[in-house]
Amino acid sequence: MKKGEAYVLGADFGSDSVRVVAVDVADGSVAGSHVSYYPRWKTGAYCDPKRNQFRQHPLDYVESFTEAVQSALSQNPAVASRVRGISMDTTGSTPSLCDADGKPLALDKRFSDNPDAMFVLWKDHTAVGEADEINALSKSWGGPDYRKFSGGTYSSEWFWSKLLHIVRHNPSITAHAAGFIEHCDWLPALLTGTEAFDKIKRSRCAAGHKLMWHPSWNGYPSSEFLTLLDPFLAIVRESLGTETYTADIPAGALTQEWAKKLGLPVGIPVCVGAYDAHIGAVGGKVAKGVMVKSIGTSTCDIIIGDVPSKGEQEQAVDGIVGQVAGSVIPGYIGYEGGQSAFGDYYAWLRDVIMWPLKHLDIVEEQQIEKIEKKVLPMLENAAQAIEPTESSPVAIDWINGRRSPYADQMLKGALTGLTLGTDAPAVMRMLLESTAFGARAILECFENSGVRVEKVVAIGGVARKSVIGMQILADITGRAIHVTDNDLAPSIGGAVFASVAAGIYKDVEEAQEALCSGTERVHEPDLERKAVYDTLYERYLQIGAFEEKQRRG
């Protein structure tokens, strides 16, 4: 394949925007890229942070995706006619109630402003009580413990918890629904004109990590189990079918309607969807022994391992977010861990500091936006001059709950050891250290269960921007942190899968070698600081244990 001969599109749907990248399949070079922000989300519509409610309108996805594709292609007009395939990733679990054609209910005029008819964003924690109920039933009902391959705990961030919450709190809207569909399943179905439930190819990544799908119990949790929670869950189960698909498989072909709208060739393959961290891990060159940490508002930590030989049982890893064969690279088990807040913790501090400026009406709005962009870089710069000591204050990173080890979204963050001398840069350093302590706990969780981590690669906005954050991560974990040389890993990962689906490369590994980016910088651990951090980490664990005890009474 010669340079300029063929391209693929990778679309990365994040929490607040979608980025579309046109990638040359010969060498992975970028021919066009554009980020489009969700217009309704940007205004805070349908969200209530105090209730941990975060909902997104499907039109945000459709409008922003269309704009991003058109804008990316406009940067090089020769590209559009040479696009050979599309892949997309989304946040997750981000599901929505849908009608019998798989269409989100919010696209029906009757429900266009109803948050319960929209996509429930990954970080929506309104379903904490329902997650507790699922966990309790899993222990007591007498059948298989369906949490076995989900790290042993089911989370409020996941599919069945969110569905159960809406069923319980808004049964009137549930009466109009025929199913519940993941964002990463709906988009490929939309672009390929796939409406019938039995024709929608469900993502192996989503099903395995968030829906408790596993081959050992022939797919999803049984109807009997789900009916004990609510009969509507069993109806949804039937709509999901039994098969799941890896992201290198075409979900279908781009329809004439969407080809015209986007300016692309009719009939090109649209890949089965998957989650952003898993696709991003592929773009970050995940491999056996190589953990890719996607570090942004939260983190997802992805690594792969061998599928057991015939006759051998799969070893379940307790405390992680999930594991399933084919969820990352076909032919390997994909393992996932993560933190519910990383960059969001830093943003919380910024918002606390900015509160007076936003509410005293003494600074113009344009100036406020300029100041806001400078706060975190200034705090990080000042925090860099602070040397950790064994008496340094310690924070807990569970400000948005804990994703892993052992999901518990009711846990809270904490700042301890403060004095009158603890200023804003010192608090910033506390937060940077706390998120690194959380990352260390996840690494230890993996390795204590036999999943060896030999290399750590960091991708994502925070990894690229926060030099001090990545150095602290290296110092606390005692590991070199390899930061990729661009922030396009999810889109590049999508290009990997699209090129395989289009038949350009024979498999994911071959496409990775051709398309994935390299390393921009490596943060080596400072072993003297690590010795200090070892002491502080023990305090982190002790304070965390106290917080857990308080949570459970």
Side-chain angles (χ1 to χ4, degrees):
M1 186 69 64
K2 294 180 181 179
K3 187 173 174 61
E5 210 170 51
Y7 301 85
V8 290
L9 295 185
D12 173 29
F13 287 82
S15 295
D16 59 4
S17 63
V18 57
R19 181 194 297 270
V20 171
V21 179
V23 177
D24 191 315
V25 297
D27 60 2
S29 59
V30 174
S33 176
H34 186 79
V35 177
S36 179
Y37 290 88
Y38 308 141
R40 296 161 189 82
W41 172 264
K42 195 172 183 179
T43 68
Y46 314 116
C47 297
D48 185 353
K50 290 183 179 179
R51 292 179 51 224
N52 285 314
Q53 176 181 299
F54 297 96
R55 309 294 167 87
Q56 293 185 324
H57 201 289
L59 287 179
D60 267 2
Y61 302 147
V62 174
E63 293 167 3
S64 296
F65 174 68
T66 303
E67 179 195 44
V69 171
Q70 292 173 347
S71 297
L73 294 176
S74 70
Q75 295 165 24
N76 191 336
V79 169
S81 63
R82 300 172 189 172
V83 172
R84 298 273 294 274
I86 305 174
S87 174
M88 55 194 69
D89 66 71
T90 72
T91 63
S93 177
T94 300
S96 174
L97 286 173
C98 62
D99 63 18
D101 295 327
K103 184 172 70 176
L105 289 190
L107 294 178
D108 184 320
K109 290 182 179 179
R110 295 174 295 172
F111 313 115
S112 60
D113 288 318
N114 189 324
D116 287 339
M118 300 174 190
F119 283 93
V120 186
L121 187 64
W122 65 269
K123 69 177 182 178
D124 186 298
H125 290 165
T126 52
V128 169
E130 287 75 17
D132 285 345
E133 189 175 342
I134 291 170
N135 284 309
L137 181 63
S138 298
K139 293 178 185 177
S140 64
W141 83 294
D145 186 343
Y146 293 115
R147 306 166 305 157
K148 179 179 179 181
F149 297 105
S150 299
T153 308
Y154 201 71
S155 170
S156 64
E157 292 183 349
W158 300 348
F159 186 95
W160 297 113
S161 301
K162 291 175 173 177
L163 173 56
L164 185 58
H165 178 78
I166 292 176
V167 169
R168 291 277 171 76
H169 289 80
N170 198 346
S172 61
I173 196 167
T174 308
H176 296 275
F180 209 43
I181 192 165
E182 277 285 336
H183 184 188
C184 70
D185 290 334
W186 175 62
L187 284 169
L190 178 69
L191 296 185
T192 60
T194 307
E195 295 184 337
F197 276 144
D198 62 347
K199 301 298 183 184
I200 295 174
K201 290 182 178 176
R202 306 283 178 165
S203 164
R204 173 78 56 82
C205 176
H209 286 283
K210 315 300 183 187
L211 278 75
M212 298 193 285
W213 180 95
H214 198 271
S216 64
W217 42 73
N218 300 316
Y220 300 98
S222 70
S223 294
E224 179 186 1
F225 173 81
L226 294 173
T227 299
L228 290 171
L229 294 164
D230 189 280
F232 186 69
L233 272 63
I235 294 173
V236 170
R237 180 192 187 278
E238 294 308 308
S239 74
L240 297 172
T242 57
E243 296 297 319
T244 60
Y245 300 85
T246 54
D248 59 324
I249 301 296
L254 187 68
T255 65
Q256 186 170 7
E257 176 190 356
W258 274 101
K260 183 178 180 180
K261 188 178 295 187
L262 300 175
L264 293 170
V266 176
I268 59 174
V270 178
C271 291
V272 168
Y275 289 151
D276 47 6
H278 302 72
I279 298 282
V282 171
K285 296 193 76 171
V286 70
K288 284 177 60 180
V290 178
M291 174 177 280
V292 177
K293 292 180 66 66
S294 179
I295 305 177
T297 56
S298 65
T299 77
C300 282
D301 305 331
I302 306 294
I303 195 167
I304 62 174
D306 288 326
V307 173
S309 302
K310 190 174 182 179
E312 293 183 352
Q313 287 191 337
E314 182 180 340
Q315 179 68 39
V317 178
D318 282 344
I320 66 172
V321 176
Q323 60 190 82
V324 66
S327 65
V328 182
I329 294 180
Y332 294 90
I333 294 176
Y335 298 93
E336 177 188 357
Q339 293 162 268
S340 292
F342 206 94
D344 267 355
Y345 208 177
Y346 316 148
W348 165 80
L349 177 61
R350 178 201 63 206
D351 292 345
V352 170
I353 291 171
M354 290 293 298
W355 192 91
L357 287 181
K358 290 183 175 181
H359 293 85
L360 289 178
D361 200 26
I362 57 175
V363 180
E364 293 182 5
E365 189 172 335
Q366 288 183 332
Q367 284 298 107
I368 289 176
E369 290 180 3
K370 289 180 180 179
I371 295 169
E372 192 170 45
K373 290 178 181 178
K374 294 179 179 180
V375 169
L376 288 180
M378 288 180 67
L379 287 174
E380 286 197 348
N381 188 54
Q384 202 155 9
I386 301 171
E387 277 296 322
T389 69
E390 293 184 355
S391 60
S392 292
V394 173
I396 302 296
D397 58 311
W398 304 334
I399 194 166
N400 196 30
R402 185 178 65 198
R403 183 176 292 163
S404 60
Y406 300 98
D408 188 340
Q409 302 308 151
M410 288 297 288
L411 291 170
K412 310 298 183 187
L415 305 180
T416 71
L418 303 182
T419 71
L420 290 175
T422 307
D423 58 11
V427 174
M428 184 71 215
R429 187 165 188 111
M430 285 176 70
L431 303 194
L432 290 164
E433 291 168 348
S434 74
T435 49
F437 289 141
R440 176 170 169 174
I442 292 169
L443 283 166
E444 291 177 354
C445 177
F446 274 101
E447 295 210 309
N448 289 341
S449 294
V451 181
R452 183 69 185 159
V453 181
E454 298 169 359
K455 179 180 178 180
V456 177
V457 175
I459 65 173
V462 172
R464 299 260 308 142
K465 295 174 187 175
S466 182
V467 174
I468 180 179
M470 293 305 97
Q471 186 58 51
I472 288 173
L473 182 62
D475 295 342
I476 285 176
T477 61
R479 297 169 182 268
I481 306 298
H482 301 252
V483 180
T484 54
D485 62 8
N486 64 50
D487 60 355
L488 302 177
S491 299
I492 297 297
V496 167
F497 284 109
S499 66
V500 174
I504 296 167
Y505 293 104
K506 65 177 177 149
D507 56 31
V508 170
E509 291 95 329
E510 184 179 69
Q512 278 182 301
E513 286 302 315
L515 304 179
C516 291
S517 54
T519 300
E520 178 184 78
R521 63 182 194 269
V522 178
H523 295 266
E524 296 289 349
D526 182 317
L527 297 183
E528 288 186 13
R529 281 193 184 140
K530 183 180 183 300
V532 174
Y533 280 134
D534 286 346
T535 299
L536 295 178
Y537 180 59
E538 288 303 315
R539 282 175 51 202
Y540 168 89
L541 295 176
Q542 291 166 5
I543 297 163
F546 175 79
E547 290 289 315
E548 288 191 81
K549 186 177 179 181
Q550 294 296 107
R551 143 85 162 125
R552 290 168 177 77

